[in-house]
Amino acid sequence: MSNSSSLNEFLLLTFADKWELQLLHFSLFLGIYLAALLGNGLIITAIACDHHLHTPMYFFLLNLSLLDLGSISTTVPKSMANSLWDTRAISYLGCAAQVFFFVFFLSAEYSLLTVMAYDRFVAICRPLHYRTLMDSRACVKMAAAAWGTVFLYAVLHTANTFSIPLCQGNVVDQFFCENPQILKLSCLDCCLRETGLLVVSGCLAFVCFVFIVVSYVQIFSAVLRIPSEQGRHKAFSMCLPHLAVVSLCVSTAMFAYLKPPSISSPSLDLVVAVLYSVVPPAVNPLIYSMRNKELKEALRKLVQLVLFQQQ
């Protein structure tokens, strides 16, 4: 029986035992990681450089891209390095850092998606008050509140997790350090306070989810009352990408954390973890740019500028 104070490292779950399959895993993750870096980097640069995109919607989208970059950079590079060097080890401090940053970026993204739902609600249901309610100062305050609140939450969450004695070894059944997997290593009688924190977290997440759902019920009710087809199409094009991103994040996270224990297995947990921690940061830029003419135009100008400078 070992205690957390005596642990120097944890052993992460590998995707495969054979070197060829590990190399395949490295190549796939490298492709996904580069796609996420390119997509989110282009969106951040386009929004920062194009003054036409200096609006609340794109300000929050820039913040979302920053969170996506942080989220995927927390888990994927270490997993790729382990596959490349044929190792499973991660240091104790490295594991704690992964837990902190993953909780921080995932929670901040969910909070920001809630703020973006409010932004869409005001834009469509209160258009005459939009400039007043969503001025630059209000947007900065809402983004700062989203980042600052979850920072304190992530600190509390990580401190609670790693202050619990770990009595079940150091093997983490996941490709990155994750709270539920760390708690499986803890003493059974030491999890009450962390369980209580998880319950509070679930309640807050549920409140955010209800707020998003109620906002979109009112949004779609207002959109359907718009007389012109062009106006309805424009309103839907503003909301559907955000709704798609929310659906992707919520559905994968809910399945990961609320699936019945009877269907849980290391391989299934591994696949589900990839779906909610790796796929969304790479797919979100594509979702937001697919139906957004302003963003596609800004990206086109940015690419043309880069190509012109290289000639």
Side-chain angles (χ1 to χ4, degrees):
M1 182 177 294
S2 62
N3 191 281
S4 58
S5 61
S6 63
L7 288 177
N8 294 320
E9 66 178 19
F10 292 91
L11 299 179
L12 300 175
L13 192 65
T14 57
F15 280 81
D17 296 328
K18 295 182 178 180
W19 164 246
E20 294 80 3
L21 294 178
Q22 288 180 349
L23 193 61
L24 176 62
H25 157 246
F26 171 82
S27 302
L28 290 174
F29 264 33
L30 179 62
I32 294 173
Y33 187 55
L34 291 178
L37 290 180
L38 178 62
N40 287 290
L42 283 174
I43 286 181
I44 292 170
T45 307
I47 293 174
C49 295
D50 194 331
H51 70 278
H52 293 102
L53 302 184
H54 292 177
T55 63
M57 182 176 73
Y58 294 109
F59 170 74
F60 293 129
L61 181 55
L62 184 148
N63 279 262
L64 184 66
S65 292
L66 289 172
L67 292 173
D68 280 336
L69 285 178
S71 175
I72 198 169
S73 297
T74 299
T75 58
V76 170
K78 178 59 180 176
S79 181
M80 289 192 302
N82 280 4
S83 291
L84 192 61
W85 299 111
D86 193 21
T87 181
R88 300 174 57 192
I90 182 173
S91 67
Y92 185 88
L93 289 178
C95 187
Q98 271 199 339
V99 169
F100 169 78
F101 283 112
F102 187 72
V103 171
F104 171 71
F105 287 120
L106 203 66
S107 302
E109 183 163 340
Y110 197 42
S111 299
L112 192 65
L113 289 172
T114 305
V115 172
M116 293 173 75
Y118 174 73
D119 172 66
R120 296 299 86 210
F121 166 77
V122 176
I124 293 175
C125 300
R126 304 287 188 272
L128 298 180
H129 301 89
Y130 184 72
R131 291 184 179 275
T132 303
L133 295 175
M134 301 299 296
D135 61 0
S136 58
R137 183 176 298 181
C139 292
V140 170
K141 285 182 179 179
M142 284 188 280
W147 286 73
T149 303
V150 298
F151 176 82
L152 296 176
Y153 167 72
V155 169
L156 180 62
H157 214 46
T158 307
N160 257 343
T161 299
F162 287 90
S163 64
I164 295 174
L166 305 180
C167 310
Q168 308 296 328
N170 67 337
V171 179
V172 179
D173 290 331
Q174 192 52 269
F175 75 95
F176 65 96
C177 287
E178 185 183 33
N179 270 81
Q181 302 301 331
I182 299 295
L183 291 178
K184 289 182 180 179
L185 307 178
S186 64
C187 304
L188 294 178
D189 57 348
C190 296
C191 297
L192 289 179
R193 58 180 177 179
E194 182 67 16
T195 302
L197 186 60
L198 289 174
V199 171
V200 173
S201 305
C203 293
L204 293 175
F206 180 73
V207 170
C208 291
F209 178 72
V210 170
F211 180 85
I212 293 173
V213 171
V214 172
S215 297
Y216 270 99
V217 168
Q218 297 186 61
I219 286 172
F220 287 134
S221 298
V223 169
L224 293 176
R225 291 196 299 267
I226 297 177
S228 68
E229 183 177 349
Q230 184 179 2
R232 289 194 300 270
H233 177 76
K234 183 178 180 180
F236 277 124
S237 66
M238 291 169 60
C239 297
L240 289 180
H242 175 258
L243 195 58
V245 171
V246 170
S247 301
L248 180 63
C249 292
V250 172
S251 60
T252 53
M254 286 181 63
F255 183 75
Y257 290 103
L258 300 180
K259 66 180 184 298
S262 58
I263 67 170
S264 181
S265 67
S267 57
L268 179 60
D269 291 344
L270 194 66
V271 172
V272 172
V274 171
L275 288 178
Y276 79 84
S277 65
V278 178
V279 173
V283 173
N284 286 350
L286 183 63
I287 294 175
Y288 269 107
S289 60
M290 189 177 296
R291 295 175 58 90
N292 192 313
K293 293 182 179 180
E294 291 181 335
L295 186 57
K296 285 195 291 187
E297 181 64 21
L299 290 172
R300 186 185 64 80
K301 291 180 180 178
L302 179 62
V303 172
Q304 287 181 344
L305 180 62
V306 172
L307 293 176
F308 177 76
Q309 290 180 345
Q310 290 181 346
Q311 291 178 355

